[in-house]
Amino acid sequence: MTASIGIWAQGDPSGESVLYRWEADQQTGYVTFEVPTRRFRPADDSGQPIGDLSFDPAVGEPSGTAAGVNQRLFNQVVVAIMRAYRRAGTAPATAHAYYY
């Protein structure tokens, strides 16, 4: 299990879509957070979606697939960003998660 995940907004987190970079288990990746709908998608470093994998909070679980994306880490990143979002009421600048 991942001990920690570092998550940082790439650019201004006040927009309608925020790109986040994450690092965990010697891996890195990106997710986009569509703030109005609270939907998440794995992305490349320019914010372009990878595959059709997404997390829709209305459904409460991920759906679709994305080649090369670790779905366990994707889920952990989504949960960390959503926790920080709920605390702040806005898209967070960081959303680090620690597991012990």
Side-chain angles (χ1 to χ4, degrees):
M1 175 181 227
T2 300
S4 67
I5 303 173
I7 304 167
W8 302 268
Q10 301 295 284
D12 183 5
S14 66
E16 290 192 9
S17 182
V18 182
L19 177 65
Y20 287 93
R21 178 176 57 90
W22 60 264
E23 295 180 1
D25 287 344
Q26 299 178 352
Q27 298 178 55
T28 61
Y30 296 86
V31 298
T32 57
F33 175 35
E34 298 168 8
V35 180
T37 62
R38 288 183 250 150
R39 184 179 304 247
F40 290 85
R41 300 205 49 197
D44 64 18
D45 61 352
S46 69
Q48 292 300 309
I50 298 172
D52 65 353
L53 178 62
S54 69
F55 183 91
D56 183 345
V59 177
E61 60 184 40
S63 63
T65 60
V69 173
N70 181 321
Q71 192 162 342
R72 178 185 60 85
L73 282 172
F74 173 71
N75 292 341
Q76 290 175 325
V77 169
V78 167
V79 167
I81 295 170
M82 283 305 297
R83 284 181 183 153
Y85 174 79
R86 287 184 187 122
R87 282 192 304 267
T90 62
T94 63
H96 307 307
Y98 304 95
Y99 301 93
Y100 297 101

